[in-house]
């Protein structure tokens, strides 16, 4: 079955108030929703991995010419474009990945209002993709 990454970034969707300004009960409802969705996807066998990431202030960029790593502060586009977290799901179809992404998008914000946060969906490449790239050369 194909795998898809569901990408959550800092774009606000329908609610522009940053989470650090929400009421504690709203933050708890938000996290509880994610917990319930995680359990649903674990129970269905579709969740491969899921992580929230630290804030952009902790981002670093590493380059190397083969020697020791050169570590600098990361490239800092507008903070709303920073990756906040992701889920990797293994599902029967792209449509199912879209259905799960819609559930992530509907996570509640202040007052229980669904955030409608945009969720990026990309298929994870598999061996056949790499074989196709090699065959083209």
């Amino acid at each position: 079955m194909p795998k898809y990454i569901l990408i959550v970034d800092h774009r606000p969707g329908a609610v522009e108030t940053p989470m650090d300004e929400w009421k504690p009960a709203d933050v708890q409802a938000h996290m509880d929703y994610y917990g319930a969705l995680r359990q649903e996807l674990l129970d269905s066998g579709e969740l491969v991995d899921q992580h929230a990431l630290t804030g952009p202030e902790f981002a670093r960029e590493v380059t190397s010419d083969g020697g020791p790593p050169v570590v600098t502060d990361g490239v800092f586009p507008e903070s709303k474009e920073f990756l906040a977290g992701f889920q990797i799901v293994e599902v029967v179809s792209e449509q199912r990945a879209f259905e799960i992404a819609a559930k992530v998008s509907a996570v509640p914000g202040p007052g229980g209002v669904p955030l409608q946060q945009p969720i990026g969906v990309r298929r994870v490449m598999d061996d056949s993709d790499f074989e196709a790239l090699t065959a083209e050369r």
Side-chain angles (χ1 to χ4, degrees), residues 4-124:
Y4 291 84
I5 185 168
L6 310 182
I7 302 166
V8 180
D9 60 28
H10 286 277
R11 290 180 290 168
V15 176
E16 300 219 8
T17 306
M19 187 182 284
D20 61 0
E21 295 177 20
W22 296 4
K23 294 177 184 173
D26 290 332
V27 173
Q28 188 62 54
H30 181 88
M31 300 311 291
D32 289 348
Y33 180 95
Y34 270 122
L37 180 56
R38 175 183 173 80
Q39 192 58 55
E40 175 186 329
L41 296 174
L42 284 170
D43 291 347
S44 70
E46 295 172 308
L47 185 63
V48 174
D49 206 355
Q50 171 180 339
H51 294 280
L53 302 174
T54 59
E57 67 273 19
F58 299 106
R60 300 295 178 263
E61 185 172 74
V62 176
T63 58
S64 175
D65 61 3
V70 177
V71 182
T72 59
D73 285 344
V75 176
F76 292 101
E78 292 193 40
S79 64
K80 66 184 177 186
E81 297 169 351
F82 271 96
L83 184 63
F86 64 91
Q87 296 170 310
I88 297 177
V89 295
E90 187 170 21
V91 293
V92 297
S93 67
E94 183 179 56
Q95 184 59 39
R96 177 63 182 145
F98 293 157
E99 291 168 2
I100 296 169
K103 290 182 178 190
V104 175
S105 177
V107 64
V113 174
L115 287 183
Q116 300 177 47
Q117 186 175 21
I119 305 300
V121 177
R122 294 176 63 184
R123 187 175 58 78
V124 175

